[in-house]
Amino acid sequence: VMTHPSARSHLNYAWPMVADGSKATVHIDRADIMEVIRYFREANRRPRFEFPAQIAPMLGLLLDQHGFTETRRMPLMAWLWPTSLTAPRGFTLRTLQTPDDLHTHLAISDAGFDHEPPDNVDERFAPLWQDHLDQRRLFLTGHLGDEPVATAQVIVGSSSAEIINVTTIPAHRRKG
């Protein structure tokens, strides 16, 4: 993860262009980096790249030259098309019905990412519940039977959607 310190918000993402399948690497130049920085500054968002180094081997060096710093290395989930997966028997996705459902969703998400729950859960909860009420964000909690085991969120834009925070708690990983 390479983060630029020029804006206020955290958890904002920009990904490099996706290889078209015929190329082994993605080529990004200074103009591409400047365009991303400009776009995010205009939106008052923090430029951030998450990328597998083998896909864009020179991107880390290029970002470093433009003031980004590597803030961490972490596992990256990728789905290679056209791989298909089958959900485990008894697995269902549920949307929020009550505020308690959001508390459960956030607890499972924290556990899936190995995060400690924040000290002030209510501070995080209120804006997310409002996003749910305004239908700007769809919270999905995966259940195996009655046990919550996974999460995902869908942020709905005017013409697109972004799937984020996809996680499974450790005891249920790699089972379908």
Side-chain angles (χ1 to χ4, degrees):
V1 176
M2 300 286 289
T3 307
H4 196 273
S6 65
R8 289 179 261 171
S9 183
H10 67 292
L11 299 179
N12 288 295
Y13 301 88
W15 287 270
M17 293 179 292
V18 178
D20 64 8
S22 64
K23 299 178 183 176
T25 60
V26 175
H27 300 282
I28 296 175
D29 63 18
R30 182 180 191 285
D32 296 321
I33 301 300
M34 298 310 293
E35 183 179 351
V36 169
I37 291 172
R38 181 188 54 73
Y39 173 80
F40 275 82
R41 282 184 179 158
E42 286 175 2
N44 197 27
R45 296 175 66 185
R46 185 179 191 186
R48 175 176 162 165
F49 282 79
E50 291 186 9
F51 60 96
Q54 64 270 30
I55 300 297
M58 298 304 295
L59 182 56
L61 179 61
L62 187 60
L63 291 170
D64 184 60
Q65 293 170 355
H66 287 86
F68 287 74
T69 56
E70 183 176 313
T71 54
R72 65 181 158 171
R73 289 183 180 243
M74 59 189 196
L76 179 66
M77 181 178 9
W79 178 40
L80 301 176
W81 184 264
T83 305
S84 82
L85 302 172
T86 303
R89 186 174 301 230
F91 182 81
T92 58
L93 283 175
R94 301 178 191 171
T95 58
L96 301 181
Q97 303 299 315
T98 69
D100 284 344
D101 293 342
L102 179 56
H103 283 292
T104 298
H105 177 95
L106 295 174
I108 296 301
S109 181
D110 287 338
F113 284 113
D114 298 323
H115 293 163
E116 291 294 321
D119 292 334
N120 188 347
V121 173
D122 291 335
E123 186 175 301
R124 176 173 70 160
F125 178 85
L128 294 175
W129 183 250
Q130 191 60 53
D131 281 353
H132 164 70
L133 294 175
D134 294 342
Q135 298 181 341
R136 289 189 303 251
R137 188 181 302 229
L138 176 66
F139 295 86
L140 301 169
T141 304
H143 288 75
L144 193 54
D146 289 328
E147 181 184 3
V149 298
T151 65
Q153 296 177 26
V154 181
I155 298 176
V156 181
S158 60
S159 62
S160 64
E162 178 182 13
I163 301 171
I164 63 168
N165 294 341
V166 177
T167 187
T168 303
I169 60 174
H172 290 276
R173 291 183 185 153
R174 304 198 192 300
K175 296 184 180 180

